[in-house]
Amino acid sequence: ARHPAEPWRIKTVEPIRMTSPEERKAALEAAGYNVGLLPAELVYIDLYTDSGTSAMSDRQWAGVMLGDESYAGSRSFYRFEAAVRDFYGYDEVIPTHQGRAAENILSRCLIRPGHHVPGNMYFTTTREHQELNGGIFHDVIVDEAHDPEADLPFKGNVDLGKLEQLIAKVGADQIPYVSLAATVNMAGGQPISMANLAEVRELTRQHGIPVILDAARAVENAWFIKQREPGWSERTVAEILREICAQTDGATMSAKKDSFANIGGWLAVRDPHLAEQARNLVVVYEGLHTYGGMAGRDLEAVAQGIEESVQEPSIRTRIEQVAYLGDRIARAGVPIVRPVGGHAVCLNATAFLAQVPREQFPAQTLTCALYLDAGIRSTERGAVSAGRDPATGHNRYPSLELVRLTIPRRVYTQGHMDVVADSVIRLHEGRKALCSGVEFTYEPSTLRFFQSRFRPL
Ligand SMILES: CC1=C(O)/C(=C\N=C(/Cc2ccccc2)C(=O)O)C(COP(=O)(O)O)=CN1
C-alpha cells in the first residue's frame, strides 16, 4: 500500500525529540513499566491513543477565538447542536465533556441493578458505567471478532443468534438497550455493516428494545461501508453516517476521535423524556445543558470538526495511513489483527511473544519493549485492560491480547510510520530474546489499565 498524500499542508509544528536508550530505560523504570505513566516529552512517537490527540484545523482554531462563553444559551452551543443534528440526525443533543461522561449519564438514566446490556464486544469505560449502575454486559459480537487471523470485512457485526438467545433468556424488559459500537475498538477498530445494523434494528423493534450507538469512530465505519459493503459505494460518507445513526435511538459520542477535538462529547437521543432525564443529570455532573463541561471554544471546535470529519479526502487519507502502516508490518510477517482497523494497527502479542505466558502479560511486555527500542508509546489492549471478573476476582484472559498502535489524525507523516514499522519489524526479528514478561507491583481495583505498575520478570 502507498502512503496517501494528505489533503492538507502543515502550518504549525510542535518539536518532538528522540531520547537515548539510557533515558528511556530510566523513564520506563520510573513509570513502573506502564508506558501510560511516562511523561509525554519522553515519548518520540505517541501512539497511545487517537483520542483527543488529533491536529485541529485552521477553522477549528478560529472557532477557539469565536467561542461564546455565555453560561446559558451560548451561540456556540446552538452551532454545536445544529452540527450534531445535521450530521448524525438526532434531535435532542446534550453536550458532555467527553465520551465517558455521556456513558455515565446514559447508564444512570437507563440501567437498573440486574439489567442486562448486550453489545458488540466490550469497551472499558462503556462496560464500567454499565456495571457501576448494576448492569451486566453480554458480548453478542460474531465469534470471528475474537480471532485476530479472521480476515473478514465486518468483524464488528452482531451475532443475531446470540442476541435472540439473550432476549429469550432474560426477557426484553430486562434489557434497557443494545449497546452498538461502530467501529469496535477492542476488536482492533473493526466496522459493523449496514445490513447487520438493520437486522439488529428489526429484531430490537419487535421486542421494543432501544439501540444506542457508540459513535466515537462512526465516520471510519461509514468509510468501510462505502468501500466494502455492496450497494453503498455511490453514497457519500455523510449520507452513510446519517443512515448508520438512523438505525438507532440515540448515541454517546467522544468528539475526541472522529471530530478531531482535544476535548468534548455528547449524548443524543430521539425520546424527549429521556433527553429531559439526561439534562437533569448533566447539570449535576457536567454543567448547564448548553455547555456540558465544555468551554464555548470547545463547542465551536467540535462543531467545525464534525463538518470536516465527513469530507472524503480527509477520512480516506486517515484510513489509508493506518493501512500503510499495517501493510508494511504484515508483509514482514509480524502477526497483526486482520483486517487492519480504522484507527489502529494491532499487534497480536500472544503470537508475537509466544514464549511469554498469559499470566506474564505479553501485551504489556511488548509495549515496554517498543518504547525501549524507539521511544514509541503504544497501548496494552489485553488482559491488563480486561481486568478481573467481578464475580471470581480472577484475571480475565481475552482471546485478543493486543498491542494497539493508535494513529492520531493529521499528526504524523510517512517518515514516522516508517520509524514505527522498522521498530516493530526489528523487535519481531529479535523476539526470541524477549522471553519473560512482567508482574504487577501495584494493581488498582477499578480500570487498573491506567494506574498499574509492573516489574520485569
Ligand atoms: C469506542 C469508545 C472509545 O474508544 C472511548 C475512549 N477511547 C480511548 C481513550 C481510552 C479510554 C479508556 C482506556 C484507554 C483509552 C481510546 O484510546 O481508545 C470512549 C470513551 O470516550 P472518552 O475517552 O472521550 O471518555 C468511548 N467509546
Side-chain angles (χ1 to χ4, degrees):
R2 278 169 57 86
H3 191 282
E6 294 85 352
W8 38 257
R9 62 185 184 190
I10 294 170
K11 183 172 357 187
T12 305
V13 295
E14 180 183 356
I16 55 178
R17 177 174 74 90
M18 175 54 102
T19 46
S20 69
E22 296 72 28
E23 277 182 293
R24 293 198 291 277
K25 183 111 176 59
L28 194 59
E29 277 166 6
Y33 286 82
N34 178 346
V35 293
L37 299 177
L38 286 167
E41 71 179 28
L42 296 179
V43 172
Y44 175 49
I45 299 177
D46 199 346
L47 306 184
Y48 191 61
T49 182
D50 67 323
S51 179
T53 55
S54 298
M56 291 217 294
S57 67
D58 53 358
R59 277 166 173 61
Q60 285 181 290
W61 280 110
V64 171
M65 296 311 293
L66 294 172
D68 173 3
E69 303 307 339
S70 305
Y71 191 91
S74 158
R75 187 180 55 246
S76 303
F77 167 72
Y78 296 116
R79 186 185 171 199
F80 172 97
E81 180 185 55
V84 176
R85 282 177 171 168
D86 292 350
F87 289 90
Y88 292 86
Y90 305 106
D91 294 330
E92 306 282 357
V93 179
I94 293 131
T96 63
H97 80 276
Q98 61 183 86
R100 64 198 73 183
E103 294 170 341
N104 171 41
I105 287 168
L106 175 80
S107 302
R108 285 172 181 275
C109 289
L110 291 185
I111 300 175
R112 295 293 172 270
H115 273 170
H116 300 268
V117 184
N120 52 344
M121 204 176 281
Y122 90 97
F123 183 69
T124 44
T125 57
T126 316
R127 186 175 65 188
E128 186 70 18
H129 283 292
Q130 290 163 356
E131 291 176 351
L132 283 175
N133 287 280
I136 300 160
F137 173 77
H138 296 264
D139 184 5
V140 293
I141 204 166
V142 294
D143 290 344
E144 294 80 358
H146 293 276
D147 174 0
E149 300 297 321
D151 196 345
L152 297 170
F154 292 105
K155 290 170 76 169
N157 280 357
V158 168
D159 179 322
L160 275 295
K162 291 180 184 176
L163 181 53
E164 272 186 300
Q165 277 166 22
L166 181 70
I167 296 170
K169 183 164 168 248
V170 306
D173 60 328
Q174 293 306 307
I175 299 176
Y177 63 95
V178 174
S179 175
L180 285 192
T183 62
V184 180
N185 191 349
M186 299 301 277
Q190 305 295 332
I192 183 170
S193 72
M194 193 70 81
N196 188 251
L197 274 162
E199 288 172 320
V200 171
R201 165 89 278 175
E202 181 46 31
L203 174 60
T204 51
R205 192 188 54 73
Q206 288 166 14
H207 294 280
I209 301 171
V211 176
I212 301 291
L213 175 72
D214 179 331
R217 299 180 185 88
V219 177
E220 295 180 4
N221 203 113
W223 176 259
F224 284 126
I225 288 172
K226 183 178 175 71
Q227 299 305 308
R228 298 176 181 173
E229 189 165 1
W232 294 93
S233 60
E234 301 308 310
R235 308 291 293 277
T236 66
V237 165
E239 287 168 341
I240 297 171
L241 176 66
R242 283 283 309 243
E243 193 57 32
I244 290 171
C245 297
Q247 310 300 322
T248 70
D249 299 290
T252 55
M253 177 62 177
S254 172
K256 299 170 77 170
K257 284 80 167 165
D258 275 346
S259 311
F260 307 103
N262 298 130
I263 193 70
W266 43 267
L267 167 64
V269 297
R270 304 189 196 286
D271 173 1
H273 303 294
L274 175 56
E276 203 52 39
Q277 263 188 285
R279 286 193 181 97
N280 293 336
L281 285 180
V282 90
V283 292
V284 175
Y285 292 103
E286 301 297 302
L288 199 69
H289 61 278
T290 56
Y291 73 85
M294 283 180 272
R297 53 182 173 268
D298 298 320
L299 292 164
E300 292 282 341
V302 169
Q304 178 62 28
I306 289 172
E307 291 174 26
E308 292 176 10
S309 68
V310 298
Q311 288 164 11
E312 309 224 343
S314 170
I315 184 62
R316 177 174 57 75
T317 53
R318 188 286 187 283
I319 298 289
E320 287 180 354
Q321 180 177 46
V322 180
Y324 170 83
L325 177 62
D327 187 56
R328 269 212 59 196
I329 291 173
R331 275 190 291 114
V334 181
I336 65 169
V337 171
R338 297 188 176 259
V340 175
H343 67 304
V345 176
C346 292
L347 308 179
N348 176 355
T350 30
F352 196 121
L353 296 182
Q355 68 282 9
V356 176
R358 293 299 304 266
E359 296 74 20
Q360 294 185 17
F361 306 110
Q364 188 71 23
T365 303
L366 191 47
T367 62
C368 295
L370 207 47
Y371 174 70
L372 289 174
D373 183 81
I376 297 163
R377 175 153 66 178
S378 56
T379 327
E380 193 274 356
R381 300 277 73 174
V384 173
S385 298
R388 294 178 181 273
D389 183 318
T392 66
H394 295 154
N395 277 319
R396 291 175 175 132
Y397 290 110
S399 56
L400 293 177
E401 173 81 6
L402 309 179
V403 169
R404 189 185 70 176
L405 305 173
T406 337
I407 314 301
R409 295 164 189 78
R410 313 191 294 203
V411 168
Y412 292 114
T413 66
Q414 178 173 356
H416 298 114
M417 295 298 107
D418 287 336
V419 166
V420 174
D422 295 345
S423 174
V424 168
I425 293 164
R426 183 168 49 247
L427 279 177
H428 187 250
E429 283 159 0
R431 64 190 179 282
K432 292 282 179 281
L434 299 165
C435 49
S436 60
V438 295
E439 66 180 357
F440 282 107
T441 58
Y442 166 65
E443 180 188 351
S445 56
T446 59
L447 285 183
R448 67 181 184 184
F449 159 80
F450 290 104
Q451 297 294 333
S452 296
R453 286 169 182 74
F454 305 85
R455 69 161 152 253
L457 288 169

